[in-house]
Amino acid sequence: MVIFGTALLAACYLAGVIIGEGIAALIGVKANVGGVGIAMLLLIAAQHYLQKRGLFAVDTAKGVTFWAMMYIPVVVAMAATQNVIVAFKSGPIALLAAAGSFAICILFISLINRVIERAHIASAALEPVSDDHDPASDLSVAPDHR
């Protein structure tokens, strides 16, 4: 059902916000640190886990897809509420948090790419086309029996 996809997204969002608040408390910042990003990572992980076990139905995916299309406007609206000037005036912790999150993103992207390569999920390389190959021979046209 569509509502299950929305519920999955809501659960991931709540968990991400709680983790983001926990990170903020650990480093002494009075704002959520990466809650939405963490929520999206949790959603990707949950979706992959459920798909791998055959528990992620097409209707459930519709609930996730709807909110995925709303992701950018929601993030822009949330970012608009952040007070960047106060963050910079509070000291170098904002710059350190930004640099740290950037470094962590690079590491995660690298890790994901390696997992994809090892699992052979990436698309196979295209075979080179020889000069004497006729692309029209690749098309299968059914005879017209009228």
Side-chain angles (χ1 to χ4, degrees), residues 8 12 40-56 64 115-116 119 121:
L8 176 65
C12 291
M40 290 301 112
L41 290 174
L42 290 173
L43 180 63
I44 290 168
Q47 187 174 352
H48 177 70
Y49 176 83
L50 293 172
Q51 282 178 340
K52 195 172 184 180
R53 282 151 184 78
L55 301 172
F56 198 71
V64 174
V115 168
I116 288 172
I121 296 172

Side-chain angles (χ1 to χ4, degrees), residues 27 29 33 87-88 90-104:
I27 63 174
V29 176
V33 179
F88 280 110
S90 66
I93 193 71
L95 293 175
L96 290 173
S101 62
F102 181 73
I104 289 171

Side-chain angles (χ1 to χ4, degrees), residues 1-81:
M1 294 174 71
V2 175
I3 194 71
F4 291 140
T6 305
L8 176 65
L9 185 102
C12 291
Y13 177 75
L14 289 174
V17 168
I18 290 169
I19 293 169
E21 292 290 334
I23 293 171
L26 287 174
I27 63 174
V29 176
K30 294 181 181 179
N32 189 305
V33 179
V36 175
I38 294 168
M40 290 301 112
L41 290 174
L42 290 173
L43 180 63
I44 290 168
Q47 187 174 352
H48 177 70
Y49 176 83
L50 293 172
Q51 282 178 340
K52 195 172 184 180
R53 282 151 184 78
L55 301 172
F56 198 71
V58 174
D59 287 338
T60 305
K62 289 179 184 177
V64 174
T65 303
F66 170 76
W67 289 106
M69 290 187 286
M70 295 296 295
Y71 176 71
I72 291 174
V74 168
V75 170
V76 169
M78 291 177 68
T81 64

